[in-house]
């Protein structure tokens, strides 16, 4: 609690904002974060409204649920309707697939159950040995180690895995290749960085001359990260810095990395609305292929569709537009009736803006 209060100190906040104002250039700069929790902090505390006019913070593809492609949700729905009980996290069941969500599949007789962890999925499978279960594993480098751990523990034979894990640094690199997307610096995600450390981000300042700062999740964490980025921009420098040193170490979590490397291999991955991102996904290694639900069941799905007509989630996810610029936002697309994945999760940019609003577009 003491640390939390320290990073919400109003007097220190005013001092940091003063420095940010003094460093603010007379031209527009955009800093991109790649984390749903960072968007929550920025929007919940009204940080955008406190910044000088020329400084903007845009949201990248950092919501682990928003970026799951409709095809993989369709696969989970097919399994739930035809073969086995799908076990997954609460946010995931409301994300639209090409036609319906897992929750709607459940209402149509599909077998879907919400769990809080992969450990819960293992427990349920053990308690029901005569039923088949599939754990729909989503998330970034933060949740992949938990999935890997249970896989190495010889899970029950009636449990298989539909793997949909994604990796953050490759999609950050993709953002830099989008021609009309202007980015002056990255706020790198604290949770992911706790696992992978700093080294995977070295490419951004070294190759792309892109200032990059790892940040924590208190308001002053974000403001310090913005101040650090502004210092680099004002000095025409590009360095990798770690504002979140109380949690993120250079080498990251070596035990978690070892688990990921033992169970998974890196492959190309489809991101919802973004298409294929090279080397951005995980799949089970050959020795664990007997646990792969895609191989265990002959999944039959038609062509998938990530976006409903009018939905601009693909533009919100890369920070090209803010949620109110989507024609569906808070009209036909609301937290109660989400049309796009960004409106579902508590880490989704549209859902966050719908709940807290924002003083600055």
């Amino acid at each position: 609690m003491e640390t939390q209060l320290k990073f919400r100190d109003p007097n220190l906040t005013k001092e940091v904002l003063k420095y940010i104002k003094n460093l603010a250039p007379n031209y527009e700069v955009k800093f991109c974060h790649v984390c749903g929790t960072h968007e929550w902090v920025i929007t919940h505390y009204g940080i955008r409204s406190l910044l000088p006019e020329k400084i903007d913070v845009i949201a990248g593809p950092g919501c682990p649920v928003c970026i799951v492609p409709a095809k993989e949700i369709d696969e989970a729905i097919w399994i739930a309707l035809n073969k086995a009980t799908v076990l997954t996290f609460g946010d995931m069941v409301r994300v639209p697939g090409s036609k319906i969500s897992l929750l709607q599949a459940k209402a149509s007789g599909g077998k879907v159950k919400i769990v809080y962890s992969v450990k819960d999925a293992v427990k349920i499978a053990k308690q029901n040995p005569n039923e088949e279960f599939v754990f729909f594993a989503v998330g970034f480098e933060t949740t992949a180690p938990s999935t890997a751990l249970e896989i190495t523990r010889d899970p029950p034979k009636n449990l298989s895995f539909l793997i949909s894990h994604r990796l953050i640094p490759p999609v950050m690199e993709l953002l830099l290749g989008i021609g009309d997307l202007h980015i002056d610096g990255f706020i790198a995600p604290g949770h992911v960085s706790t696992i992978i450390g700093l080294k995977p981000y070295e490419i951004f300042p070294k190759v792309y001359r892109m200032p990059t700062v790892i940040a924590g999740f208190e308001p002053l964490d974000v403001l310090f990260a913005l101040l650090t980025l502004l210092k680099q921009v004002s000095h025409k420098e590009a360095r990798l810095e770690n504002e979140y040193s109380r949690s993120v170490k250079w080498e990251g979590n070596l035990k978690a990395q070892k688990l990921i490397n033992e169970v998974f291999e890196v492959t190309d991955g489809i991101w919802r609305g973004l298409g294929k991102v090279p080397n951005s996904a995980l799949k089970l290694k050959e020795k664990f292929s007997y646990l792969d639900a895609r191989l265990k069941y002959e999944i039959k799905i038609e062509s998938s569709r990530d976006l409903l007509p009018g939905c601009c989630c693909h533009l919100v996810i890369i920070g090209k537009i803010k949620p109110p610029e989507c024609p569906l936002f808070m009209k036909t697309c609301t937290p109660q009736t989400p049309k796009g994945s960004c409106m579902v999760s508590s880490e989704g940019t549209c859902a966050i803006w719908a709940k807290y609003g924002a003083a600055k577009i």
Side-chain angles (χ1 to χ4, degrees):
M1 178 61 81
E2 186 178 345
T3 300
Q4 189 181 60
L5 291 175
K6 178 182 171 185
F7 281 90
R8 297 179 186 179
D9 182 275
N11 293 324
L12 186 54
T13 299
K14 290 176 183 175
E15 282 297 306
V16 176
L17 285 169
K18 189 191 304 180
Y19 281 111
I20 288 176
K21 185 178 179 181
N22 290 338
L23 279 174
N26 57 8
Y27 55 89
E28 187 178 35
V29 293
K30 286 187 178 181
F31 298 127
C32 176
H33 73 74
V34 198
C35 175
T37 308
H38 275 151
E39 182 57 35
W40 186 91
V41 171
I42 290 164
T43 306
H44 177 76
Y45 290 102
I47 286 177
R48 286 189 181 90
S49 68
L50 302 174
L51 298 175
E53 187 179 353
K54 296 292 185 182
I55 299 175
D56 195 8
V57 185
I58 61 174
C63 165
V65 168
C66 304
I67 55 86
V68 176
K71 178 187 176 186
E72 294 177 12
I73 296 172
D74 294 346
E75 290 176 329
I77 289 171
W78 187 90
I79 290 171
L81 291 171
N82 295 281
K83 295 291 183 180
T85 299
V86 172
L87 308 169
T88 194
F89 303 123
D91 282 349
M92 199 63 241
V93 302
R94 297 182 64 232
V95 179
S98 294
K99 295 178 181 174
I100 60 172
S101 65
L102 276 164
L103 192 60
Q104 289 167 318
K106 183 176 181 179
S108 299
K111 293 178 284 188
V112 179
K113 192 174 181 66
I114 292 172
V115 292
Y116 294 100
S117 69
V118 60
K119 195 172 182 179
D120 289 345
V122 171
K123 184 178 178 181
I124 290 170
K126 284 182 177 177
Q127 290 172 341
N128 301 275
N130 297 321
E131 298 179 36
E132 288 291 322
F133 297 92
V134 172
F135 178 64
F136 189 16
V138 302
F140 301 126
E141 292 93 331
T142 44
T143 52
S146 300
T147 306
L149 177 62
E150 293 303 327
I151 285 173
T152 60
R153 286 177 169 174
D154 191 22
K157 290 183 170 49
N158 60 331
L159 176 66
S160 55
F161 295 79
L162 186 66
I163 300 297
S164 188
H165 287 302
R166 296 291 186 272
L167 306 175
I168 285 291
V171 83
M172 291 170 65
E173 200 170 353
L174 176 91
L175 293 179
L176 298 179
I178 298 176
D180 56 348
L181 184 64
H182 183 85
I183 295 174
D184 294 289
F186 277 126
I187 300 175
H191 292 144
V192 166
S193 305
T194 301
I195 301 297
I196 67 176
L198 274 70
K199 190 171 179 56
Y201 301 111
E202 284 184 313
I203 187 174
F204 299 110
K206 284 184 178 179
V207 177
Y208 296 102
R209 296 290 301 160
M210 183 59 58
T212 302
V213 177
I214 296 166
F217 300 99
E218 293 292 339
L220 271 168
D221 280 321
V222 175
L223 288 173
F224 276 129
L226 291 170
L227 176 60
T228 306
L229 288 170
L230 273 174
K231 285 179 179 175
Q232 292 191 37
V233 169
S234 65
H235 292 105
K236 301 187 185 309
E237 296 175 337
R239 288 182 279 112
L240 171 61
E241 298 190 64
N242 182 16
E243 185 279 334
Y244 200 27
S245 59
R246 65 187 186 276
S247 180
V248 176
K249 309 304 177 189
W250 171 263
E251 71 277 10
N253 185 326
L254 296 177
K255 188 176 180 181
Q257 292 171 28
K258 184 180 177 184
L259 274 169
I260 291 174
N261 292 332
E262 180 182 349
V263 171
F264 299 114
E265 62 180 75
V266 176
T267 186
D268 297 344
I270 304 296
W271 292 58
R272 192 182 192 104
L274 301 183
K276 183 185 290 185
V277 181
N279 301 315
S280 69
L282 297 175
K283 72 173 186 178
L284 290 168
K285 285 187 171 178
E286 179 66 29
K287 66 178 178 179
F288 296 109
S289 60
Y290 65 97
L291 293 171
D292 191 336
R294 292 187 177 92
L295 299 178
K296 184 173 183 177
Y297 302 108
E298 294 182 3
I299 300 174
K300 298 180 179 65
I301 59 171
E302 300 174 354
S303 58
S304 58
R305 182 178 68 169
D306 278 349
L307 300 169
L308 293 178
C311 175
C312 293
C313 264
H314 60 308
L315 301 178
V316 172
I317 280 173
I318 62 173
K320 197 166 182 178
I321 67 169
K322 301 272 175 33
E325 296 173 75
C326 174
L328 306 187
F329 181 73
M330 296 307 287
K331 296 182 177 73
T332 57
C333 184
T334 69
Q336 291 74 35
T337 58
K339 303 298 183 187
S341 60
C342 303
M343 188 57 92
V344 175
S345 168
S346 60
E347 295 186 64
T349 301
C350 291
I352 293 168
W353 280 56
K355 185 171 183 179
Y356 298 107
K360 179 180 178 181
I361 295 178

